[in-house]
Amino acid sequence: MSMADRDGLIWLDGELVPWRDAKVHVLTHTLHYGMGCFEGVRAYSTDEGPAIFRLQDHTQRLFNSAHILNMKMPYDQETLNDAQRLVIRENGLASAYIRPMVFLGSEGMGLRADNLQVHVMIAAWEWPSYMAPEAREQGIRIRTSSYTRHHVNITMCKAKANGNYINSMLALNEAMSCGYDEALLLDNEGYVAEGTGENLFIVRNGELHTPELTSCLDGITRRSILEFARELDIPVRERRITRDEIYIADEAFFTGTAAEVLPIRELDNRTIGKGSRGPITEQFQQMYFDAVEGRRERNRDWLTVAT
Ligand code: PMP
C-alpha cells in the first residue's frame, strides 16, 4: 500500500489532517535541497497501553538537529510530545513507528532560504521489524561500503538531517545489490563510523567497544545499551575502531530505533565470533525488549504512555 494512500490522521502544523490530504507543493524547499530534520521513534505495546520509548530524548534530539541546521522551531517540545501521543491515540495504534519531520515550505526557492516557513509533520504507522524476523537470532551479513561516512565538517553528523541520508541510501543500495543485508560505513580516515541507520558495537574479551561520537549519530538505542552495560558491570570503551577489529570480535551488533538490537554475523565475508547471536548481544536484546515493552521497572521512566 502506498504511504500516501492510507486511512488515518497526520499531524501537520498543529492540526490533525486526513492522511490522504497531508500534502505539500512540488516547490517545497526541503524537497529540492534536503534541508530538514527528522526523528524515528517507536511506541510499543505494554500492559498500560501503547508507550513511546524515550520520547523526550527523541524530541530533544529533533530540537538539537533543527538548532544545528539553524531552523527555527515553531513549537515547543511539550507540544510535539503531546502531538506524538495524539497521533498514536487518534490512529488507534497499539504499537507504532513515529516519524516527526521539520521542513521548509514553498515560499521561495534558492539557497538563501530566507523568510521560509518552518513546518512540522508527525505521522505514525505500524512498522513491525526492519529486518526479517529471524535476523534477531541469526544475525545479518554486512559489507564495508565503498562510500565514506560524512566528514564532520561537511554535513553535521549530530543533526539527523534529511540530506544526510543520501549517503545512507547509496551505501545501503550498494550493499543490498551485492547480496548483503546492510552496509558498514567508515569515516574519512578509515575508522568505523556506523551503519546506514544504526550504531555499531563489538564485544571482545568481555568488553564492549563502540565508535566515539564523532562521525556517527548520537543514537538513543546506543545510549540505552551503554546504560545496560553499566548495570551489568561490562567495561565500555568508546573509541576509534578499525574494520579488522570487527573481523576478530567475539560478537558484533547494530542498534537503532528501527533495527532495535541486531546481531551481525558476518562482515566482508568473514564470520564474526561463532557466526550467530552471541551471549552478550542476546542479553542486551532481552534487556532492550523488556525495557521497551514495560517489563523493566528501573527503566520505567523511559516510557510515555500514549493514552
Ligand atoms: N545512526 C544513524 C545514521 C541513524 O539514522 C540512526 C537511526 N536514528 C542511528 C544511528 C540510531 O539512532 P537511534 O538509536 O536513536 O534510532
Side-chain angles (χ1 to χ4, degrees):
M1 195 189 355
S2 156
M3 287 305 295
D5 185 18
R6 289 171 174 238
D7 295 331
L9 297 164
I10 290 178
W11 192 93
L12 181 60
D13 293 332
E15 279 175 44
L16 284 173
V17 298
W19 196 286
R20 294 177 184 84
D21 299 338
K23 290 181 180 164
V24 292
H25 195 269
V26 288
L27 291 176
T28 297
H29 200 278
T30 300
L31 192 58
H32 293 253
Y33 305 113
M35 175 67 88
C37 54
F38 66 98
E39 270 303 313
V41 190
R42 268 193 195 275
Y44 289 84
S45 169
T46 73
D47 284 348
E48 292 175 59
I52 306 176
F53 185 62
R54 301 193 72 162
L55 172 63
Q56 292 79 8
D57 294 314
H58 280 283
T59 303
Q60 180 64 57
R61 190 171 65 186
L62 184 69
F63 276 68
N64 290 350
S65 296
H67 182 66
I68 290 168
L69 301 176
N70 220 359
M71 296 173 77
K72 194 166 166 1
M73 276 293 224
Y75 304 99
D76 60 19
Q77 295 200 20
E78 207 185 324
T79 303
L80 295 196
N81 287 338
D82 289 346
Q84 290 176 79
R85 295 171 59 215
L86 186 71
V87 292
I88 300 280
R89 281 200 306 275
E90 292 293 321
N91 288 291
L93 294 162
S95 64
Y97 182 83
I98 312 169
R99 168 55 55 84
M101 185 181 64
V102 182
F103 62 101
L104 298 173
S106 50
E107 293 77 17
M109 269 290 127
L111 300 183
R112 287 195 183 88
D114 43 12
N115 300 319
L116 297 187
Q117 195 183 331
V118 177
H119 298 272
V120 183
M121 57 74 56
I122 301 169
W125 62 91
E126 263 179 53
W127 203 10
S129 189
Y130 185 61
M131 293 278 168
E134 59 274 14
R136 269 191 197 172
E137 271 181 49
Q138 293 168 4
I140 58 167
R141 297 175 59 246
I142 66 173
R143 69 165 243 166
T144 305
S145 185
S146 72
Y147 297 96
T148 299
R149 199 49 158 169
H150 309 287
H151 179 277
V152 290
N153 203 31
I154 294 181
T155 52
M156 302 293 103
C157 309
K158 297 293 162 291
K160 199 168 157 60
N162 293 34
N164 287 359
Y165 284 82
I166 297 173
N167 177 255
S168 287
M169 290 181 68
L170 288 170
L172 182 58
N173 180 270
E174 176 188 62
M176 288 177 59
S177 64
C178 294
Y180 296 85
D181 303 307
E182 243 299 0
L184 175 73
L185 285 143
L186 307 181
D187 67 19
N188 63 305
E189 293 183 74
Y191 294 91
V192 173
E194 58 184 341
T196 62
E198 305 90 10
N199 291 109
L200 177 120
F201 286 86
I202 57 173
V203 178
R204 188 136 193 250
N205 300 328
E207 286 189 354
L208 189 66
H209 303 255
T210 192
E212 58 196 7
L213 291 179
T214 44
S215 54
C216 64
L217 190 75
D218 180 2
I220 289 162
T221 322
R222 178 185 184 277
R223 291 186 215 162
S224 307
I225 296 295
L226 293 177
E227 278 209 41
F228 295 152
R230 271 193 290 279
E231 186 185 327
L232 297 173
D233 278 326
I234 295 175
V236 175
R237 293 192 56 205
E238 293 180 62
R239 61 177 183 84
R240 285 178 145 189
I241 291 175
T242 57
R243 64 196 273 190
D244 51 2
E245 285 184 80
I246 306 178
Y247 298 157
I248 57 173
D250 301 323
E251 303 180 30
F253 60 93
F254 273 141
T255 62
T257 300
E260 297 164 320
V261 180
L262 196 61
I264 303 168
R265 70 168 196 270
E266 202 184 291
L267 168 62
D268 300 339
N269 303 324
R270 276 84 161 174
T271 301
I272 299 169
K274 62 181 171 51
S276 60
R277 178 176 62 187
I280 294 182
T281 307
E282 185 173 355
Q283 194 167 10
F284 285 137
Q285 234 177 18
Q286 188 65 50
M287 290 170 95
Y288 185 73
F289 287 113
D290 284 346
V292 298
E293 288 166 5
R295 289 187 298 271
R296 272 173 67 82
E297 208 38 57
R298 89 186 261 156
N299 301 129
R300 198 62 197 73
D301 58 340
W302 282 347
L303 299 180
T304 304
V305 176
T307 47

